[in-house]
Amino acid sequence: RGTAGAVPDLAGRHVVISAGGTREPLDPVRYLGNRSSGKQGYALARTAVARGARVTLVAANAALPDPAGAEVVPVGTARELREAVLKAAANADAVVMAAAVADFRPSREVDSKIKKRDGVEPEPIALVRNPDILAELSAHRPAPAQIVVGFAAETDDVLANGRAKLARKGCDLLVVNQVGGGRAFGTEENEAVILESGGPETPVPHGPKETLADRIWDIVAGRLSTA
Ligand code: CTP
Ligand code: CA
């Protein structure tokens, strides 16, 4: 898989990665979800292990094999993901939010299955905001040298949206990829631009998600070594 013999430039480092997509329950059998496969986050975990890191992978509903050598913490909802990531981040050198976190959840989860009734229109589903985990991680770092990385899938003016989001979230790196037209979701490959606070932009051409993961770790390892 191309990671054997990698330079152990993350040896002695603890990295936390969130992957997959959260599911927000509506009733005992239904949820609001998204199309994230978890493949990019799992590729980040495998490559970080190969580079010598201790890896905590907070996995939201990803139907993928556990990466060898990583500690996997399974979660379901955005609030569970927040708990698990904040706990693991307390002693982490870097946190990468590759998970697709639901922006909203149903304002109430009912204990009984929602039933249809003849001649009765369904109730609208009321939603409330979920916490913004990336913004919270960026604003409340356990150590100033901790590196926080976000992902953004954008349409339209991808780079302008990405730069604005990097500033708004307050993270160090934002990995931006263009979605729509079958790109990114569920595929084996990805194409992205890594935006950094302070200006640098690293385009990563279309290729395996492991390659994009390694370019992200190159930048993270470089920043950690000069911190
Ligand atoms: N994210 C998060 N918590 C949320 C929503 C998003 O931590 N409640 C993280 C994602 O894991 C990702 C980054 O924030 O790393 C950007 O997610 P995105 O959905 O692009 O950002 P939003 O601020 O939700 O903006 P948008 O309105 O475009 O969805
Ligand atoms: Ca969002």
Side-chain angles (χ1 to χ4, degrees):
R1 64 163 67 111
T3 50
V7 179
D9 56 358
L10 293 175
R13 305 295 190 184
H14 177 210
V15 302
V16 177
I17 300 152
S18 71
T22 65
R23 292 178 180 174
E24 310 299 323
L26 272 164
D27 72 9
V29 294
R30 305 185 181 94
Y31 58 82
L32 297 181
N34 62 69
R35 295 183 187 280
S36 178
S37 67
K39 287 176 183 168
Q40 185 63 61
Y42 277 61
L44 280 155
R46 288 193 301 273
T47 50
V49 169
R51 296 167 78 135
R54 175 160 89 84
V55 177
T56 305
L57 177 63
V58 177
N61 312 297
L64 295 169
D66 285 358
E71 184 197 349
V72 180
V73 182
V75 296
T77 66
R79 286 184 291 176
E80 290 166 7
L81 190 142
R82 174 181 173 274
E83 287 295 313
V85 167
L86 291 183
K87 183 164 177 260
N91 62 8
D93 297 286
V95 186
V96 182
M97 284 293 296
V101 181
D103 293 325
F104 312 106
R105 66 176 182 274
S107 55
R108 59 192 194 103
E109 180 191 353
V110 295
D111 295 330
S112 312
K113 187 182 169 194
I114 300 164
K115 302 290 268 184
K116 60 187 173 329
R117 285 201 286 149
D118 285 342
V120 180
E121 289 299 313
E123 290 292 317
I125 297 168
L127 301 175
V128 293
R129 284 280 287 268
N130 268 328
D132 188 327
I133 304 159
L134 180 63
E136 185 174 350
L137 284 165
S138 302
H140 305 286
R141 302 180 198 221
Q146 184 180 77
I147 294 173
V148 179
V149 182
F151 271 75
E154 299 287 346
T155 62
D156 307 308
D157 194 340
V158 173
L159 279 181
N161 291 343
R163 284 189 208 96
K165 193 167 282 181
L166 176 71
R168 190 164 71 239
K169 299 279 188 179
C171 52
D172 300 292
L173 269 57
L174 190 76
V175 183
V176 184
N177 51 73
Q178 186 166 18
V179 292
R183 287 189 198 82
F185 280 111
T187 62
E188 299 300 332
E189 305 215 311
N190 217 345
E191 175 183 346
V193 180
I194 306 171
L195 304 179
E196 291 183 62
S197 59
E201 297 181 2
T202 306
V204 181
H206 187 83
K209 290 186 174 180
E210 307 250 349
T211 302
L212 175 57
D214 270 318
R215 295 294 81 74
I216 294 165
W217 294 130
D218 288 347
I219 296 172
V220 169
R223 284 187 165 224
L224 284 173
S225 69
T226 58

